[in-house]
Amino acid sequence: MYKLWMFDFDNTIARLEPEVDWAGGRLILEPYLRSIGAPDQLFARIPRGNLPLYGAYRTLMLAQINQPRVTEGLRRASEIIEKIELAGVDRAQPLEGAIEALAALKETGAAVAIVTSNSSRTVKRWFDRNAGASIDAIVGRDTMLGLKPAPDMLIRALELFSADRSQAAFVGDSEADLLAAQSCGVRFYGIAATEVARDRLLAAGATEIFGSPAALAIHLNLPAARA
């Protein structure tokens, strides 16, 4: 067992994605970014989505000289996304066995951290409303670190728990999660609730993929899975 277990949130622990008005959020986020000077080519390159747009804007603008202004723009952009996340998070259902798997990992003495492109406030609200599992830390978008597939947030979690990369594992559902784990040098476990999701992870190079957190718990022989 590992000293530190890191989990993605959306579609790994909870089904947040279908509960959020991402299209409506884009109609607010894009005009804001344009108003603070984001170039037209950014929107042409990323015509859909909020988190990809935020991540690309962050990468582009942090190369600029006026760092305080860029940081404030990123913070406001993150808050726009957070607002639409919070509007849907109360309806997000846990994946099969997610809460039980987290609780069982805690029982082994491991630390559990959520490492996510969602905001930490969104994740905290979900856990406050879904009793049964506690977590030790949330490393979210509001850290202003690079979003996955960059390894930055995973590295932050390792630092928080003084964990060596060989002592940690990351559980996620996307190619970006896999690439972040590979860049960070930690073991990756994939969660894929559909065949399409499984095929994407396989194509990206994942080798350990499970249909749900419950299936992962059985593989790990966790106490909850043996009950």
Side-chain angles (χ1 to χ4, degrees):
M1 276 299 174
Y2 294 99
K3 174 181 179 179
L4 172 63
W5 282 88
M6 299 177 285
F7 284 79
D8 175 51
F9 179 67
D10 191 11
N11 291 321
T12 300
I13 297 298
R15 295 182 178 88
L16 176 64
E17 182 179 6
E19 306 300 340
V20 174
D21 181 13
W22 297 110
R26 176 73 183 226
L27 294 177
I28 301 171
L29 179 63
E30 181 172 331
Y32 171 70
L33 292 179
R34 288 184 183 277
S35 76
I36 60 174
D40 290 342
Q41 58 264 35
L42 182 69
F43 307 102
R45 180 159 59 90
I46 305 176
R48 293 179 299 278
N50 295 276
L51 293 173
L53 180 61
Y54 168 89
Y57 175 78
R58 179 190 180 280
T59 299
L60 178 67
M61 299 308 291
L62 283 181
Q64 306 300 314
I65 296 174
N66 193 344
Q67 294 292 322
R69 181 180 175 185
V70 170
T71 299
E72 180 55 33
L74 283 172
R75 182 173 292 107
R76 174 61 184 139
S78 179
E79 289 171 351
I80 290 171
I81 302 171
E82 179 184 80
K83 185 174 181 179
I84 63 170
E85 289 174 349
L86 289 171
V89 71
D90 292 347
R91 298 187 299 274
Q93 297 299 308
L95 272 72
E96 180 189 0
I99 292 174
E100 294 81 359
L102 294 177
L105 285 170
K106 291 280 290 177
E107 287 181 13
T108 70
V112 175
I114 302 297
V115 180
T116 175
S117 297
N118 301 123
S119 81
S120 58
R121 186 180 173 198
T122 299
V123 175
K124 183 179 185 303
R125 178 161 168 167
W126 189 87
F127 275 95
D128 286 345
R129 291 169 178 261
N130 288 270
S134 63
I135 53 177
D136 298 292
I138 304 169
V139 181
R141 184 182 61 249
D142 38 318
T143 60
M144 301 292 135
L145 295 170
L147 303 184
K148 298 167 290 183
D152 305 31
M153 292 193 290
L154 294 180
I155 293 171
R156 172 67 61 84
L158 291 170
E159 292 171 347
L160 287 175
F161 294 94
S162 301
D164 185 84
R165 299 177 190 207
S166 65
Q167 298 174 306
F170 181 48
V171 183
D173 73 294
S174 70
E175 300 97 316
D177 292 331
L178 171 62
L179 291 171
Q182 291 174 334
S183 296
C184 191
V186 300
R187 188 169 182 173
F188 178 78
Y189 293 95
I191 299 294
T194 67
E195 285 192 22
V196 171
R198 182 180 181 84
D199 288 346
R200 286 176 180 167
L201 285 177
L202 284 170
T207 57
E208 296 178 282
I209 306 171
F210 304 89
S212 66
L216 174 61
I218 292 171
H219 173 76
L220 297 174
N221 198 30
L222 292 176
R226 297 196 303 264

